[in-house]
Amino acid sequence: MPDLSSFPITQRWPASHPDRLQHYAAPTPNGVKVSIMLEETALAYEPHLIDIANNESKDPAGPDGRPIAVWESGAILLYLADKTAQLIPNATAQCYETLAWVFFQMSAIGPIFGQLGFFLRWRGKDYEDKRPRQRFADEAKRLLGVLDRRLEGRDWIVDDYSIADIATLGWVNALVESYAAGDILGLSDYSNIQAWLGHGLDRPAVQRGLHIPARPA
């Protein structure tokens, strides 16, 4: 049985199944990336709902059979893709194309959409000065345009469904479900994104992953 006692987080959230990958997250756009990936790959895992500030992921079956701690959602996606040889192309050119779109989500879509969400849903909505909100709305529209053009004539961001789609789906879905930003951004005008989002949300693993770890009732 793997010994996870060296990880302080397991003392607060004990593992009922220490032989499984331990997933510590909240069902945020970043958290559900990992949940969706785990559901897609069918790896055995145990989810733990935790505060975002303490977000970590622990795998007792890491390299050479030793436990490994992996953090940052993009790094976790890459780790799981490498671990399972799933959802990332084998061909070098397509692999790096996929990674480029993962990093596009990490460096642009996530930060900008997240800031827009702050101004639309949380404390930022009460700010009298609306210029910061407009700045993030304008940049979100630009990024949606980049993604929409990429999806022209495509079902997925890179030829087949991959970690590029998994990284991005939760964030685009959050614009509608969490931030109520669809009208502000004119999201319905991005027909390629609408089709892609629909394909993604139709996947059973995505449907499950969007709600893992489950919030208290």
Side-chain angles (χ1 to χ4, degrees), residues 4-5 7-20 22-24 46-50:
L4 303 182
S5 61
F7 295 112
I9 196 170
T10 62
Q11 297 172 18
R12 183 172 179 183
W13 292 278
S16 298
H17 304 280
D19 56 323
R20 301 179 186 177
Q22 302 295 305
H23 174 36
Y24 303 87
E46 182 178 353
H48 302 269
L49 177 66
I50 66 169

Side-chain angles (χ1 to χ4, degrees), residues 79-90:
Y79 172 73
L80 294 175
D82 181 66
K83 180 181 179 69
T84 62
Q86 296 182 50
L87 298 167
I88 192 167
N90 291 322

Side-chain angles (χ1 to χ4, degrees), residues 186-199:
L187 193 58
S188 61
D189 295 335
Y190 299 94
S191 58
N192 299 321
I193 290 178
Q194 292 290 336
W196 164 82
L197 182 61
H199 293 324

Side-chain angles (χ1 to χ4, degrees), residues 38-59:
L38 290 166
E39 290 293 319
E40 292 282 9
T41 57
L43 283 169
Y45 73 101
E46 182 178 353
H48 302 269
L49 177 66
I50 66 169
D51 184 87
I52 295 173
N54 297 320
N55 190 10
E56 295 182 70
S57 178
K58 306 291 188 251
D59 185 355

Side-chain angles (χ1 to χ4, degrees), residues 119 123-134:
F119 284 101
R123 288 180 297 173
K125 68 180 183 297
D126 298 324
Y127 290 5
E128 292 185 11
D129 188 345
K130 301 304 179 186
R131 287 174 296 180
R133 187 187 81 169
Q134 191 59 48

Side-chain angles (χ1 to χ4, degrees), residues 57-76:
S57 178
K58 306 291 188 251
D59 185 355
D64 301 320
R66 297 191 305 271
I68 183 174
V70 187
W71 59 286
E72 275 293 338
S73 58
I76 296 171

